């Protein structure tokens, strides 16, 4: 399954659960950044996202 569809489903679920617009926007920004990072790492399918990719993304977030 493509990561972008997993992200969309997650955001739809958050909206369905009546999270605030600010929370949804924060999730959306973070997940879109994560998606862009994963695409650069050639991880477009959810199955391609490894712990190493996730750790690398999180370490990059700490530096900014």
């Amino acid at each position: 399954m493509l990561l972008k569809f997993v992200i969309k489903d997650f955001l739809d679920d958050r909206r369905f659960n009546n999270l605030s617009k600010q929370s949804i926007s924060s999730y959306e920004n973070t997940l879109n950044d994560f998606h862009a990072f994963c695409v650069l790492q050639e991880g477009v399918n959810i199955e391609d996202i490894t712990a190493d990719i996730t750790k690398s993304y999180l370490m990059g977030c700490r530096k900014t």
Side-chain angles (χ1 to χ4, degrees):
M1 178 178 255
L2 291 175
L3 178 59
K4 68 180 180 178
F5 294 131
V6 174
I7 291 170
K8 182 187 178 315
D9 288 347
F10 175 81
L11 293 172
D12 288 345
D13 184 68
R14 300 299 91 192
R15 287 183 186 99
F16 179 76
N17 286 306
N18 293 320
L19 263 66
S20 72
K21 289 181 182 181
Q22 293 164 329
S23 292
I24 292 170
S25 178
S26 178
Y27 277 127
E28 191 168 27
N29 290 334
T30 301
L31 291 170
N32 285 337
D33 287 346
F34 180 66
H35 179 261
F37 178 82
C38 289
V39 168
L40 290 174
Q41 304 299 315
E42 298 184 13
V44 294
N45 290 312
I46 192 70
E47 297 86 7
D48 299 332
I49 309 306
T50 64
D52 287 338
I53 289 174
T54 304
K55 287 177 190 176
S56 188
Y57 171 75
L58 292 173
M59 292 301 291
C61 289
R62 293 180 75 189
K63 293 178 183 177
T64 56

